[in-house]
Amino acid sequence: QVQLVESGGGLVQPGGSLRLSCAASGRIFSIPAMGWYRQAPGKQRELVAGITATGTTNYADSVKGRFTISRDNAKNTVYLQMSSLKPEDTAVYYCNANIIQRQGPRADYWGQGTQVTVSS
């Protein structure tokens, strides 16, 4: 019954900002790791940023200094603050979460994807 719901995508001008959110719901015991991936047209899906339950983060080199990932463990929600956006950031952004269910297995789950378009 675990589900990830994303929001926050949209159209923004170069240099602008957007904040994506992804909320997990269901029989959740813990979420050891959450992250954001993106897939641009004609390109392979890539990891943008990840964060552990204790706050350890990692970023793709292309977004370091511009994007910030964070999470609210009480809300089972992960965020991606995107600033100084560039046209090359245009992609569908997918939330991913490694989740341990209550009385259940550990598995990866994906959000539905949200479109981010950076264009003037």
Side-chain angles (χ1 to χ4, degrees), residues 3-105:
Q3 185 178 59
L4 272 59
V5 178
E6 302 178 29
S7 63
L11 174 65
V12 64
Q13 294 184 349
S17 299
L18 283 174
R19 192 182 204 197
L20 307 182
S21 64
C22 174
S25 61
R27 285 190 169 188
I28 298 171
F29 175 71
S30 66
I31 307 178
M34 305 182 82
W36 291 93
Y37 293 73
R38 68 185 181 187
Q39 188 165 22
K43 299 186 69 176
Q44 189 175 353
R45 186 175 298 187
E46 64 176 348
L47 175 67
V48 177
I51 186 168
T52 70
T54 56
T56 301
T57 60
N58 65 89
Y59 298 90
D61 288 340
S62 60
V63 307
K64 286 181 179 177
R66 300 188 298 118
F67 291 10
T68 301
I69 189 169
S70 61
R71 61 186 284 172
D72 184 335
N73 291 340
K75 296 180 179 180
N76 290 325
T77 299
V78 63
Y79 306 92
L80 185 67
Q81 177 65 51
M82 304 183 293
S83 301
S84 301
L85 283 162
K86 305 174 181 179
E88 49 263 46
D89 294 318
T90 296
V92 177
Y93 284 70
Y94 296 91
C95 175
N96 173 267
N98 186 244
I99 297 174
I100 301 174
Q101 296 186 56
R102 292 190 174 95
Q103 302 298 316

